[in-house]
Amino acid sequence: RMPVVLKGMELGTCITKWTVDYLSNAEGSKEVKIHVSAVPQMDFLSKNFVYRTLPFDVFVRRAAEVKHKEYFLSEDEKYYLRSVGEDVRKDIADIRKQFPILAEDIRIPEYFEKEQFFSSVFRISSAGLQLWTHYDVMDNFLIQVTGKKRVVLYSPRDAPYLYLSGTKSEVLDVDNPDLEKYPLFVKAKRYQCFLEAGDVLFIPALWFHNVIAEEFGVALNVFWKHLPAESYDKTDTYGNKDPTAASRAIQILDRALKTLEELPEEYRDFYARRMVLRIQEKAYRNDYG
């Protein structure tokens, strides 16, 4: 259950073929919905970006530029494509459906059974773009096809230090965090790797990751269900909703905390501490070392 970088994998012809010109010509002018940000660090919590639509070939060429002659927000704005299904409420991202020509060029490492496959998310990032720290509920491969990326990871056990809002951390700048606002962040153990074209990073479920594109790059995330299929929310097309049992448990906890509000403050404090001890006793692992 640890991240690992796999090198020398046989990934198909995509490694040499996926130039800007080839990508532009292969999938042509189909429209894609993209994120556009005036700053390099994208924040999904504050939504410091806008959604725009561009023909795919125009988008690829813009994303590969450093300065733009045509732009939405500024001449040095950053672009990010995260492919989605035809109907985002019903359909998962699958490169074979959304980008069938490109799908023929890539070979996905077969480390899981075909029936476990969940999604294949095609991604293109401008140089310098940094994505917010978050976790996913499924195991996945980050296949770096072209360009270089830096990935910073944090263990699930360090969740108490990451100031979570849902699946995302509020700490946007992991290199220069605001320690007055986020003092516990220093306790989170940082793991870091650099991906070259052709590298594959295995990111286990629940591991937090923060990704920065050091160059214009193209990648494919492949997610699969390593838990029994019934563990997952059937309405989840992005693969980022907590397992159904976890969601139920959190709802029960919220109700329990609401019930404690009926008591005076000193009683609330006492019984909340008892609940924490009970959770530690029943649910915490003690084999992390």
Side-chain angles (χ1 to χ4, degrees), residues 4-7 142-144 147-151 193-201 211 214:
V4 64
V5 178
L6 306 173
K7 291 182 172 286
L142 172 56
I143 303 171
Q144 191 64 27
K148 297 179 182 179
K149 275 196 176 84
R150 186 199 73 176
V151 185
C193 65
F194 293 89
L195 302 182
E196 306 274 344
D199 288 348
V200 179
L201 173 61
V211 181
E214 299 201 321

Side-chain angles (χ1 to χ4, degrees), residues 24-197:
S24 300
N25 294 328
E27 295 290 349
S29 59
K30 71 165 69 176
E31 290 198 333
V32 289
K33 188 176 182 180
I34 58 172
H35 302 67
V36 182
S37 177
V39 296
Q41 290 177 327
M42 289 180 57
D43 182 0
F44 199 82
L45 293 174
S46 69
K47 297 289 195 300
N48 66 344
F49 54 85
V50 296
Y51 292 105
R52 292 292 183 266
T53 301
L54 280 176
F56 182 73
D57 51 355
V58 174
F59 156 70
V60 170
R61 295 190 183 281
R62 280 211 208 172
E65 298 171 343
V66 177
K67 295 286 185 181
H68 311 294
K69 292 181 180 178
E70 295 184 57
Y71 50 83
F72 296 107
L73 304 174
S74 67
E75 64 177 5
D76 56 355
E77 65 192 15
K78 305 296 183 184
Y79 296 88
Y80 173 56
L81 167 68
R82 188 259 191 231
S83 66
V84 295
E86 286 74 17
D87 184 337
V88 295
R89 294 168 298 179
K90 299 178 181 178
D91 303 320
I92 53 100
D94 187 339
I95 190 173
R96 296 168 298 183
K97 295 178 180 177
Q98 286 95 48
F99 300 93
I101 297 173
L102 297 179
E104 294 177 3
D105 298 335
I106 190 166
R107 182 182 299 175
I108 295 172
E110 295 182 357
Y111 281 84
F112 54 92
E113 301 298 328
K114 284 184 171 58
E115 60 270 19
Q116 290 178 287
F117 170 84
F118 176 73
S119 67
S120 51
V121 182
F122 184 61
R123 301 182 190 270
I124 296 181
S125 303
S126 294
L129 182 79
Q130 186 170 11
L131 297 181
W132 53 90
T133 304
H134 68 283
Y135 71 86
D136 299 298
V137 300
M138 298 182 194
D139 286 353
N140 77 91
F141 282 140
L142 172 56
I143 303 171
Q144 191 64 27
V145 180
T146 72
K148 297 179 182 179
K149 275 196 176 84
R150 186 199 73 176
V151 185
V152 175
L153 304 108
Y154 299 95
S155 164
R157 70 174 180 265
D158 283 343
Y161 315 131
L162 297 179
Y163 297 87
L164 299 186
S165 177
T167 62
K168 303 162 187 69
S169 170
E170 294 180 10
V171 185
L172 193 60
D173 190 342
V174 297
D175 299 307
N176 298 289
D178 182 344
L179 295 181
E180 287 191 5
K181 191 174 183 180
Y182 308 115
L184 295 179
F185 186 70
V186 294
K187 294 186 177 184
K189 183 178 178 180
R190 174 186 177 124
Y191 298 78
Q192 181 171 284
C193 65
F194 293 89
L195 302 182
E196 306 274 344

